[in-house]
Amino acid sequence: MPSDTPDSFRGDPKRNGRNNSDPISTPNSLAGPSKLQLMQKALMAPFSQRKNDSSSIISDLAPVIMTPRMMNAASTVSSKQPRERIGNSSMSRSRMDFATLGRAPLRLGLGARRITSRDLEIVEATEQLLHVEVPEPDGVASNVSLLRGFNATIPSAEQSKSRRRQMRSVDAPHIGLKKLGMNARGLLTEEDDHEGQSVTSEDDVVVVPRSDTTLRKGKRRGRESLSATKMLGKDELTRQRKEILRDKENINIKRSLVNNEIVEITHKIQTLDDIRTKLEEDLIKLQEDELELDDELQGVKERLEFEQSSSTRMSQSFQITHSSRRRKGPAFLPSEHAELPPGVAFMTLDSHTAPLSALDFSEPYGTLVSASLEDSQPIVWDLLSGTESGRLRGHTGTVKCIQVEDTVCVTGSEDSSVRLWDLRRVDADGSDGWGDEGEMVNLSDVAEEEGSEEGAKQNGIRNGVEKEQIEDAACLRVLEGHTKAVTTLFFEDNCLVTGASDKTLRQWDLTTGQCVMTMDILWAIAHPTPSTLANNLFAGAAASVGTFAVPMPPRADGSWDMYEDYVGGVQFWGYGLVSGSGDGAVRMWDMRTGQAHRTLVGHSAPVTCLQFDEIHIASGSLDKTIRIWDVRTGGVFETLKYDHPVAALQFDTRKVIAATGENGVKIYNRTSMLQSTLLTNGHTSPVERLRYMDRYMVTGGRDSTVKVWSL
């Protein structure tokens, strides 16, 4: 062709024929470029040509706007074109760029096989792939190839077994085995209606031919074995041996596959069990959330009643509020409380020098009153700052029971008295310029400070009576009537019920300070109700007529004491009063008549604590159990067993928290029925007293410390 031929005709095979420089036009040439060079040429072609018209822009955008179906059709058409068309002209028409390569696989018709972009990736990573170690799978696939396992499981694997059975089949006279088998199983055949006929026919009889020699001699020869009529040969037997060995191998492979499937199914079952467990936990969580919402709703109702009645409160120096032991809703907590980890004691109060005997607080981060065994003056704490606010001075014996409601506190002591306190009048200093009780005070020093010589004396006197008159300003009333130690109490509004070691319960009117009613437990024991089984009462009840003292089981640290609190707990709800006593019985009293109308028998040791709500009564005992009673039926709803005696408890609809003679606090989830123990930063000796409200708890132990917990 002349050199001045236009470019558009240089690549046209119809006008110009094959170009000698085209490597595709001379496939048999040894000096032609390689496939990699062709690929480089194809990739760099768009950058070596100019785009002068709008058609080039459309051709560039065409692969982008094409649908997958159109792209597949275009690739199919391009694969059917002759090899001669792959040249400069075809490159100019396709106008491939990197955007096209990213959206569709690159396919060039070089030879019979089409090269894709995946092939290019493999070629580039050839050296790396050759040095990579291919991991072997675990299980049966590690020693059995995929093809071998497939051959062992396809139906054709049984052909050799069927062939061998056919080889062992012998042509014998018809003996009617099928009919005999059906008759043996009692199945009907077509000839059963012919009575009197033989079961076998002439065709069923095995006929053994006899030779002439046998006939002449008159002797019968036995039937030959069926295997004697078959000759298989060495090659056939060798073949069958190989087939049998291969079938055994197939059985081993199938066994491995079945075992592998069993293991897989076991894992699936375990996974499903885990999922089921998780769902059950979610269901329990939903139940707990529902109970929490019920408590929150009840708390909102109580708050509404409180705010509605606030305008009609009595104008008194102190106000006895609704008992917090009935309060079910969430308490008001500081915003920082949510940042505390649950189940951790985050505050320790350590001013006591003896094991704790009683404690109670008004609200979370409110006012706490705690007492110890060797101190007759309970300590008042500010829980927000963790500091001591003052002391309640007036009792002469160990304080055994305390209840705090807002700014009102009631205490019961071994001195057989009950005192009503106004916590707002507690002096933080507690001295008022005087020394502590029993300290020698020089009145002349006091006179000089006051600028008065009256009462000045050189010799010291004990500031007993004078100091008591000053420091009793916080004490509003002193209730006297019991003859022995007051061991438990409960008050609500203006009604107070106390229990003492004199084996009586007394009801008090706090506005007048008078005893309204006395309930005698000994009289109730002597006149049991019809539901009481006297033979089930605690054996030590017979000794309750005299001085009551029972050795308690040892605690976790091995310590033990003589238990002398005959009345372990009292609480009332409306006119219904519940008490737990040293004879192991839980009695329900009618506060209008003072009579015990029901006795719940089940504990085998003195009852040390109890709590009462509308439906259930929870009682703890020295017999190492907590029993939850159903008030409606009088039966035991649930029993919780521990390793040591129960000293204190409190419960709500979701949980039961108990002090069970151990360093940790036991928590029983009533929804999931699971037990847990709080130990983190806790007591170093067994816990004796506890009180919680919402997510806030205070405990007292034998280590003389008070711990504040986040629940």
Side-chain angles (χ1 to χ4, degrees):
M1 293 292 291
S3 60
D4 57 350
T5 304
D7 295 339
S8 61
F9 293 97
R10 289 180 183 177
D12 192 353
K14 294 181 180 180
R15 297 176 181 268
N16 192 23
R18 293 188 177 181
N19 191 356
N20 294 330
S21 63
D22 189 357
I24 302 180
S25 63
T26 60
N28 297 326
S29 178
L30 300 175
S34 63
K35 293 183 179 181
L36 183 59
Q37 293 176 349
L38 289 176
M39 293 300 304
Q40 294 177 353
K41 183 179 180 181
L43 294 174
M44 300 303 296
F47 301 96
S48 62
Q49 297 181 2
R50 298 177 59 185
K51 301 180 182 180
N52 298 324
D53 51 3
S54 60
S55 62
S56 63
I57 300 177
I58 297 176
S59 64
D60 291 339
L61 295 176
V64 181
I65 63 177
M66 290 174 65
T67 62
R69 183 175 181 182
M70 297 171 63
M71 293 172 61
N72 293 332
S75 62
T76 304
V77 173
S78 64
S79 64
K80 294 180 180 180
Q81 294 179 355
R83 295 173 59 185
E84 292 80 6
R85 294 189 179 184
I86 303 179
N88 293 333
S89 61
S90 62
M91 288 296 179
S92 63
R93 285 191 298 269
S94 62
R95 294 299 179 94
M96 293 179 296
D97 57 3
F98 286 105
T100 306
L101 294 176
R103 289 169 173 80
L106 177 62
R107 297 184 178 182
L108 299 177
L110 299 176
R113 184 180 182 279
R114 291 176 296 177
I115 299 176
T116 63
S117 59
R118 181 63 177 171
D119 296 333
L120 296 179
E121 295 177 0
I122 295 175
V123 171
E124 293 176 356
T126 301
E127 295 296 332
Q128 183 179 359
L129 291 175
L130 291 176
H131 294 84
V132 173
E133 295 183 0
V134 180
E136 292 291 339
D138 297 334
V140 66
S142 60
N143 51 15
V144 178
S145 63
L146 179 62
L147 181 61
R148 189 70 189 88
F150 175 76
N151 291 334
T153 55
I154 58 177
S156 61
E158 302 291 335
Q159 291 180 356
S160 59
K161 185 176 182 180
S162 301
R163 191 189 67 80
R164 292 195 303 271
R165 287 182 178 178
Q166 292 178 359
M167 292 294 296
R168 290 193 292 268
S169 297
V170 180
D171 294 335
H174 183 66
I175 57 179
L177 294 179
K178 180 178 180 181
K179 183 183 298 183
L180 292 176
M182 295 177 65
N183 291 333
R185 291 183 295 171
L187 301 178
L188 297 177
T189 59
E190 297 178 355
E191 299 180 358
D192 284 345
D193 53 350
H194 302 284
E195 297 180 358
Q197 294 185 358
S198 176
V199 175
T200 60
S201 61
E202 295 179 356
D203 297 335
D204 298 331
V205 179
V206 179
V207 179
V208 181
R210 292 178 294 178
S211 61
D212 295 339
T213 305
T214 306
L215 293 174
R216 287 195 302 267
K217 294 181 180 180
K219 296 180 180 179
R220 297 183 61 184
R221 186 179 62 180
R223 184 175 60 83
E224 295 180 353
S225 174
L226 294 178
S227 61
T229 61
K230 276 284 184 179
M231 297 297 294
L232 299 180
K234 182 178 179 181
D235 296 338
E236 176 64 24
L237 292 176
T238 303
R239 178 182 177 183
Q240 290 188 10
R241 183 176 64 86
K242 293 181 179 179
E243 290 178 352
I244 292 173
L245 293 177
R246 185 171 64 251
D247 291 345
K248 290 185 64 177
E249 184 180 357
N250 291 341
I251 288 177
N252 292 331
I253 294 174
K254 292 179 180 179
R255 182 185 295 112
S256 300
L257 293 175
V258 171
N259 290 332
N260 194 25
E261 291 182 2
I262 292 175
V263 172
E264 184 178 357
I265 291 174
T266 302
H267 291 165
K268 290 181 179 179
I269 293 175
Q270 184 177 0
T271 303
L272 292 176
D273 290 339
D274 295 340
I275 295 175
R276 179 187 178 89
T277 303
K278 181 62 171 59
L279 293 177
E280 290 177 349
E281 292 176 355
D282 294 342
L283 183 60
I284 292 175
K285 184 63 170 58
L286 292 176
Q287 295 177 358
E288 293 178 352
D289 292 343
E290 183 180 7
L291 293 175
E292 185 176 358
L293 290 176
D294 292 340
D295 293 345
E296 187 173 0
L297 178 61
Q298 183 66 26
V300 171
K301 293 180 179 178
E302 293 176 356
R303 185 66 183 181
L304 180 61
E305 295 176 357
F306 171 76
E307 294 184 357
Q308 289 178 350
S309 61
S310 60
S311 59
T312 60
R313 291 180 181 176
M314 296 180 295
S315 57
Q316 297 180 353
S317 59
F318 70 101
Q319 177 66 31
I320 301 177
T321 61
H322 191 70
S323 175
S324 60
R325 283 158 177 74
R326 287 197 192 178
R327 196 175 303 156
K328 293 185 177 181
F332 292 92
L333 296 170
S335 57
E336 296 181 3
H337 185 83
E339 301 175 0
L340 294 173
V344 176
F346 61 91
M347 185 183 296
T348 301
L349 310 177
D350 54 1
S351 294
H352 291 287
T353 59
L356 273 293
S357 59
L359 62 82
D360 194 13
F361 62 92
S362 59
E363 62 179 358
Y365 298 95
T367 302
L368 167 70
V369 180
S370 60
S372 60
L373 291 178
E374 298 178 0
D375 192 357
S376 61
Q377 300 176 357
I379 301 178
V380 182
W381 304 86
D382 182 1
L383 292 176
L384 189 61
S385 61
T387 58
E388 182 178 341
S389 301
R391 290 177 177 266
L392 302 179
R393 295 175 171 84
H395 285 294
T396 59
T398 301
V399 176
K400 306 283 290 185
C401 49
I402 298 173
Q403 182 177 345
V404 178
E405 300 295 341
D406 198 9
T407 60
V408 179
C409 177
V410 179
T411 58
S413 172
E414 285 185 345
D415 59 7
S416 69
S417 67
V418 178
R419 289 178 178 261
L420 179 65
W421 309 84
D422 186 356
L423 298 180
R424 295 172 297 182
R425 301 184 181 182
V426 175
D427 191 356
D429 187 10
S431 61
D432 292 333
W434 297 80
D436 292 336
E437 184 175 0
E439 182 183 353
M440 303 300 292
V441 179
N442 197 323
L443 296 182
S444 61
D445 297 337
V446 179
E448 291 178 0
E449 294 177 0
E450 296 179 354
S452 174
E453 297 296 333
E454 181 180 359
K457 297 182 180 180
Q458 295 299 324
N459 54 348
I461 62 173
R462 300 180 64 90
N463 60 337
V465 179
E466 293 86 350
K467 177 176 179 295
E468 181 179 356
Q469 293 176 354
I470 297 175
E471 294 181 349
D472 277 352
C475 182
L476 302 177
R477 292 189 184 278
V478 179
L479 309 179
E480 296 179 342
H482 287 290
T483 58
K484 290 186 178 181
V486 179
T487 57
T488 182
L489 61 85
F490 180 83
F491 78 90
E492 187 175 77
D493 297 333
N494 294 318
C495 181
L496 168 67
V497 175
T498 58
S501 295
D502 59 4
K503 306 175 185 60
T504 62
L505 305 177
R506 288 179 178 267
Q507 178 182 349
W508 307 81
D509 187 352
L510 292 179
T511 57
T512 62
Q514 299 296 321
C515 178
V516 178
M517 182 180 299
T518 300
M519 290 160 276
D520 193 348
I521 299 178
L522 294 180
W523 189 92
I525 295 176
H527 302 79
T529 59
S531 60
T532 304
L533 299 178
N535 54 354
N536 285 340
L537 291 177
F538 172 48
S544 61
V545 178
T547 301
F548 177 78
V550 177
M552 62 181 301
R555 305 180 183 90
D557 60 352
S559 62
W560 64 278
D561 298 315
M562 294 298 294
Y563 185 77
E564 300 177 354
D565 300 342
Y566 190 79
V567 183
V570 293
Q571 187 176 348
F572 60 85
W573 194 282
Y575 292 106
L577 172 65
V578 176
S579 67
S581 52
D583 59 349
V586 177
R587 289 181 174 82
M588 303 179 66
W589 306 75
D590 188 347
M591 296 177 63
R592 295 168 294 187
T593 62
Q595 302 294 323
H597 59 84
R598 179 181 292 182
T599 302
L600 307 179
V601 179
H603 285 294
S604 58
V607 177
T608 58
C609 50
L610 62 81
Q611 185 183 345
F612 172 41
D613 63 10
E614 302 97 329
I615 302 176
H616 297 111
I617 300 173
S619 59
S621 172
L622 294 182
D623 62 2
K624 308 176 185 179
T625 64
I626 292 178
R627 295 178 182 267
I628 301 178
W629 310 79
D630 192 332
V631 177
R632 297 163 296 185
T633 62
V636 178
F637 176 76
E638 199 168 7
T639 301
L640 309 179
K641 297 181 180 180
Y642 299 96
D643 298 329
H644 304 284
V646 180
L649 67 84
Q650 188 178 347
F651 80 101
D652 55 26
T653 56
R654 290 171 290 167
K655 58 184 175 294
V656 178
I657 301 182
T660 60
E662 300 180 4
N663 298 354
V665 180
K666 296 290 186 179
I667 298 181
Y668 173 73
N669 191 318
R670 299 181 65 183
T671 306
S672 62
M673 299 182 182
L674 298 177
Q675 289 271 10
S676 60
T677 306
L678 301 184
L679 291 170
T680 306
N681 196 30
H683 293 277
T684 58
S685 295
V687 180
E688 290 290 319
R689 297 293 181 264
L690 63 86
R691 175 88 164 93
Y692 79 88
M693 190 180 300
D694 196 13
R695 294 179 289 118
Y696 188 90
M697 181 175 68
V698 178
T699 59
R702 296 186 62 81
D703 55 0
S704 306
T705 62
V706 177
K707 297 283 185 176
V708 183
W709 302 75
S710 173
L711 298 179

